[in-house]
Amino acid sequence: QVQLQESGPGLVKPSETLSLTCTLSGGSISGYFWSWIRQLPGKGPEWIAYIYSSGITNYNPSLKSRVTISVDRSNNQFSLSLNSVTAADTAVYFCARIINAVAAFDIWGQGTLVTVSS
Amino acid sequence: QSALTQPPSASGSPGQSVTISCTGTSSDVGTYDLVSWYQQHPGKAPKLMISEVNKRPSGVPDRFSGSKSGNTASLTVSGLQPEDEANYYCTSFAGTNNWLLFGGGTKLTVL
């Protein structure tokens, strides 16, 4: 059974970089698209970025200037980096698998709350 | 303001049917049959309920169905059950640049 687990600091200071890793178990990262999604408090989710196992990426235009997504196939992981964070980036961050060519997320991590505060 | 518009709330009694709408534009919902619906209980990750407008993943009850007309997609939940009470979000493919848009969500209450 494929499972995803997010990991990373739960507290980040303003202006610093938020870094999260998603680890896949029970399957292979190869041959799929993988994504980061966030959900601000009390709001709907927001797609951040996706990456194919080969390294092809795509970013939400509203966040593109601050975001980097990367993949580590040897460790079955992919990562998110969001720089110059502010309180407005406080959210639950989810990683998820994308069903190829369907633009839908079929497997999600449990999510991790990241608070931006000094 | 979310890119896709959903009503903030919907409700129904057990056994009844309820329909939730998701309105986009001709650049997303109206052009692509790549609308999905997610169910999210408090504190949990979203769960895929419908993809490609009307396809149910394995394990999703057939009480859940999807449809689309023009720029508006809909999710219908028939035979409402207490465990259906949750937030529901729609998404739509919106082209290579924007890729995916989310709706603001609809809180479904089972009375």
Side-chain angles (χ1 to χ4, degrees):
Chain A
Q1 180 182 355
V2 175
Q3 292 184 313
L4 297 171
Q5 178 68 57
E6 303 91 349
S7 60
L11 180 65
V12 181
K13 290 182 168 54
S15 80
E16 295 190 344
T17 298
L18 179 162
S19 296
L20 296 173
T21 296
C22 183
T23 301
L24 169 68
S25 60
S28 173
I29 209 163
S30 297
Y32 287 94
F33 288 85
W34 305 91
S35 185
W36 286 97
I37 301 122
R38 72 180 183 178
Q39 189 166 24
L40 279 59
K43 302 294 185 183
E46 174 185 36
W47 166 67
I48 301 173
Y50 71 64
I51 188 165
Y52 188 61
S53 53
S54 65
I56 297 171
T57 60
N58 195 9
Y59 297 95
N60 186 320
S62 68
L63 296 168
K64 186 174 184 177
S65 63
R66 299 194 292 130
V67 174
T68 302
I69 189 171
S70 59
V71 65
D72 178 354
R73 290 185 297 277
S74 61
N75 287 310
N76 254 6
Q77 295 177 328
F78 61 103
S79 298
L80 172 73
S81 178
L82 176 66
N83 61 36
S84 304
V85 298
T86 70
D89 294 309
T90 293
V92 175
Y93 287 76
F94 295 97
C95 59
R97 188 178 78 173
I98 300 170
I99 303 174
N100 288 352
V102 172
F105 307 105
D106 64 340
I107 298 172
W108 293 67
Q110 65 185 23
T112 186
L113 173 63
V114 179
T115 301
V116 179
S117 175
S118 55
Chain B
Q1 185 176 355
S2 299
L4 305 178
T5 301
Q6 297 181 235
S9 64
S11 63
S13 299
Q16 289 186 333
S17 293
V18 64
T19 297
I20 299 170
S21 63
C22 171
T23 301
T25 70
S26 58
S27 297
D28 38 73
V29 175
T31 295
Y32 304 102
D33 287 337
L34 293 176
V35 174
S36 299
W37 290 91
Y38 297 85
Q39 176 191 68
Q40 187 179 33
H41 289 107
K44 300 294 186 181
K47 175 186 176 183
L48 180 64
M49 305 301 283
I50 296 285
S51 66
E52 298 178 85
V53 177
N54 56 17
K55 295 183 179 179
R56 277 188 314 277
S58 174
V60 174
D62 61 5
R63 303 185 293 102
F64 292 85
S65 62
S67 62
K68 191 185 85 167
S69 177
N71 296 338
T72 299
S74 298
L75 172 72
T76 298
V77 185
S78 305
L80 274 173
Q81 297 186 4
E83 59 265 32
D84 298 334
E85 184 163 298
N87 288 308
Y88 291 84
Y89 297 96
C90 63
T91 65
S92 175
F93 178 73
T96 303
N97 280 348
N98 286 318
W99 188 62
L100 197 75
L101 304 176
F102 275 88
T106 298
K107 180 175 173 56
L108 174 61
T109 300
V110 180
L111 302 170

